[in-house]
Amino acid sequence: MLLYLKYGELVLKGGNRKKFTDLLHKNIRFSLRNFPSLSLKKEFDSFSIDNIDEQQFSEVSSIVQNISGISWIINAYNSSTDLEKLVEQIVSMLPKEAKSFRVDTKRQDKNFRLNSMEINAKVGEMILEKLPSYKVDLHKPQIKINIEIKYKKAIFYFEKIKGFGGFPIGIAGKVLMLISGGIDSPIAAKLLLKKGFIVDFITFITPPHTSPIALEKVEKLIKIISLNNSLYEPSLHVCNFTNLQNELSHMSDKTYQITIMRRYFFKIARDLALKEKCHAIATGESIGQVASQTIESMTTIQNAIGDFIVLRPLVTYDKNEIIDLAIKYKTYETSILPYADCCALFVPKNPVTKPSVLKAEKIEKNLELAEQVYQNILSKIVKKKCE
């Protein structure tokens, strides 16, 4: 049995492909460090592990299914480029109750005497000779026989498991994710992992208004997000925002309360990101979902940190699409648990949807103690490991 790991779009990276595949090779080897007997071989468009037994296949495939950069996990079989021997092996493994099939061939060895279409036709003909009850169905076959003609050998397989896809973790840099206990931010973090980022987290608490259970919920979400990800230990930075929130409660224009609060979230996240050598901060914002996620609000809030980069993986997603991803990545049931986070508790009745930078800055100048409290908060952020 052969475990075959396809890495999809990495083959399109041209001169940079080796950098991507070398890092993915390193990540896979590290993730499979508890299987020292397995030999991982890198090929043009894949990695392969020869001579893996069924129990190992199940355990290893469940691990690699969560590694960024792997597009397909395939249970394949080594064979000969002699088509008679190849077909004999394929036929021995075909279920007798099936009635239709198709053959798809990829020919890596361009010197092989037949091209891909000719191999498809020849193998199909030979299977029909041995199994006359079968028929070819190119559109809806019960069995799809995949053949790859390599140099000096062939492989074949019938099914493949969808991998996580994307790029290997670490290739894109490091970001600091603003995470709450809601649905959106955990999914935004998952998509950043898929794009090859190392993702650390910051969350804001306001005791006694938020309970310790709300923080436990965030920690649980981070553990779900990084399931089977043994490549790094995500850090969670916990920021007690209570004193600054108390200062914001003195604002004369309550409609700007969320705008100013999020401006301070961004300032704190930026300062922490610089300290932790992160290249950007990230949020779960999506256009139009709430008052603070209009273009005008996002512009006014981001203005607080100048030209520091803010990544928003979900900016064009609608809520149903995000919920579908939350169900897929198994965060949904935790996200909907009824423990309110910092933002939910302080939303005014009529928040401004088109705030201006000038007014936001004017309000901040009138909050005499806010800057002092802000600096004090920065010095007391607690860093935790989510193992």
Side-chain angles (χ1 to χ4, degrees), residues 156-212:
F156 68 91
Y157 57 92
F158 305 109
E159 296 178 335
K160 54 186 181 181
I161 301 168
K162 189 82 172 87
F164 191 56
F167 300 148
I169 287 180
I171 199 71
K174 183 179 177 184
V175 298
L176 182 66
M177 182 80 213
L178 284 75
I179 189 170
S180 70
I183 295 172
D184 301 344
S185 53
I187 298 307
K190 193 72 172 178
L191 295 180
L192 289 168
L193 286 169
K194 187 172 185 176
K195 272 299 179 183
F197 286 99
I198 292 172
V199 182
D200 281 343
F201 301 87
I202 181 170
T203 195
F204 296 90
I205 60 173
T206 52
H209 308 292
T210 53
S211 72

Side-chain angles (χ1 to χ4, degrees), residues 113-381:
R113 65 185 184 280
L114 302 176
N115 63 34
S116 296
M117 294 296 291
E118 291 168 337
I119 296 170
N120 291 343
K122 183 64 176 176
V123 168
E125 179 185 329
M126 295 167 74
I127 290 174
L128 291 173
E129 287 178 359
K130 294 179 180 293
L131 297 172
S133 63
Y134 271 47
K135 67 176 182 179
V136 173
D137 186 340
L138 299 180
H139 303 290
K140 293 183 179 180
Q142 290 178 284
I143 302 284
K144 184 178 177 182
I145 302 166
N146 299 276
I147 298 171
E148 296 188 16
I149 303 296
K150 297 179 175 292
Y151 301 94
K152 298 182 180 179
K153 74 170 186 177
I155 69 165
F156 68 91
Y157 57 92
F158 305 109
E159 296 178 335
K160 54 186 181 181
I161 301 168
K162 189 82 172 87
F164 191 56
F167 300 148
I169 287 180
I171 199 71
K174 183 179 177 184
V175 298
L176 182 66
M177 182 80 213
L178 284 75
I179 189 170
S180 70
I183 295 172
D184 301 344
S185 53
I187 298 307
K190 193 72 172 178
L191 295 180
L192 289 168
L193 286 169
K194 187 172 185 176
K195 272 299 179 183
F197 286 99
I198 292 172
V199 182
D200 281 343
F201 301 87
I202 181 170
T203 195
F204 296 90
I205 60 173
T206 52
H209 308 292
T210 53
S211 72
I213 299 177
L215 180 57
E216 291 173 10
K217 177 183 174 183
V218 169
E219 292 178 11
K220 183 177 180 181
L221 284 167
I222 293 172
K223 290 176 183 177
I224 295 170
I225 292 164
S226 56
L227 175 68
N228 284 336
N229 176 22
S230 57
L231 302 176
Y232 81 105
E233 293 178 339
S235 294
L236 171 62
H237 302 268
V238 182
C239 178
N240 187 329
F241 198 73
T242 301
N243 290 339
L244 191 46
Q245 186 63 59
N246 289 338
E247 287 302 311
L248 300 186
S249 68
H250 300 309
M251 290 169 47
S252 57
D253 189 344
K254 300 298 184 184
T255 66
Y256 267 75
Q257 192 163 354
I258 284 292
T259 301
I260 303 302
M261 181 176 73
R262 290 193 64 81
R263 279 171 64 90
Y264 275 108
F265 283 177
F266 274 39
K267 290 178 185 179
I268 292 167
R270 174 207 53 196
D271 291 349
L272 181 61
L274 290 170
K275 178 183 175 184
E276 295 292 320
K277 296 181 171 55
C278 295
H279 299 91
I281 65 174
T283 74
E285 292 170 298
S286 173
I287 288 289
Q289 280 202 30
V290 294
S292 64
Q293 294 178 19
T294 64
I295 285 291
E296 293 86 355
S297 287
M298 293 163 90
T299 301
T300 298
I301 293 165
Q302 185 164 341
N303 170 266
I305 60 172
D307 59 0
F308 198 77
I309 297 174
V310 181
L311 302 178
R312 298 178 174 91
L314 298 177
V315 70
T316 64
Y317 286 60
D318 67 32
K319 197 64 179 183
N320 287 333
E321 290 173 321
I322 298 170
I323 289 173
D324 287 345
L325 287 174
I327 293 170
K328 175 182 177 180
Y329 294 130
K330 298 180 172 57
T331 59
Y332 182 74
E333 294 299 327
T334 301
S335 289
I336 62 174
L337 292 174
Y339 306 116
D341 60 29
C342 177
C343 290
L345 291 171
F346 295 99
V347 177
K349 289 184 178 179
N350 297 297
V352 63
T353 58
K354 295 184 178 182
S356 75
V357 172
L358 290 177
K359 185 168 182 178
E361 290 176 339
K362 183 178 179 180
I363 291 172
E364 287 174 350
K365 286 179 182 178
N366 291 331
L367 295 168
E368 296 179 359
L369 297 178
E371 187 64 25
Q372 180 181 336
V373 174
Y374 160 61
Q375 293 298 334
N376 187 46
I377 282 176
L378 278 175
S379 66
K380 294 182 179 180
I381 292 175

